[in-house]
Amino acid sequence: MAATPDPKTLDRVKALTGHPAFSMANPNRVRSLIGAFAQGNQTQFNRPDGQGYEFIAEKILALDPANPQLASRMSTAFRSWRALEAGRRGQAQATLKRIAETPSLSRDVSDIVQRALADT
């Protein structure tokens, strides 16, 4: 479901994060829903409006204090941002910078984000 390249998928994924069976404290649930969206749905993750980036950034920052390893794994969804067309590339870069500038960011997430920003 999270990998379906439908324009309504992001709204469905957001709604499912509020479902009683979903918990951000359960890494398998996070990977199967949010990770599947970020890694397996390039159409909707890379939406022209940048909402896919913002959603994943929110989840990365929410996960980071409790599970920095999972948050850093989710951050890898941004690795290919330089290959995007200019509009999406700018939005992805701005989102990465916002994550990087977050106070008390874990070393794990900081490392992935800094590498993504530094790659040429």
Side-chain angles (χ1 to χ4, degrees):
M1 197 297 299
T4 305
D6 182 276
K8 295 181 181 170
T9 298
L10 179 58
D11 291 332
R12 288 185 196 121
V13 170
K14 285 179 179 180
L16 286 170
T17 62
H19 190 279
F22 179 82
S23 170
M24 290 290 285
N26 183 324
N28 290 333
R29 301 267 165 104
V30 172
R31 276 191 296 272
S32 68
L33 179 63
I34 299 169
F37 175 79
Q39 303 287 345
N41 193 340
Q42 293 303 301
T43 303
Q44 294 306 300
F45 173 64
N46 294 302
R47 292 165 52 123
D49 63 7
Q51 298 234 351
Y53 305 140
E54 288 304 314
F55 173 71
I56 296 303
E58 263 178 43
K59 298 307 174 192
I60 290 167
L61 294 173
L63 280 167
D64 191 40
N67 193 335
Q69 294 81 18
L70 181 55
S72 65
R73 173 76 151 203
M74 305 254 319
S75 301
T76 64
F78 287 95
R79 276 194 282 197
S80 62
W81 70 273
R82 290 184 191 275
L84 301 169
E85 54 83 19
R88 288 178 174 95
R89 186 172 54 241
Q91 289 176 329
Q93 182 180 27
T95 303
L96 281 166
K97 286 181 178 180
R98 183 171 69 81
I99 294 169
E101 294 169 356
T102 301
S104 69
L105 192 63
S106 72
R107 208 178 268 163
D108 300 80
V109 173
S110 181
D111 181 53
I112 298 295
V113 171
Q114 291 302 328
R115 286 182 194 204
L117 288 168
D119 284 345
T120 53

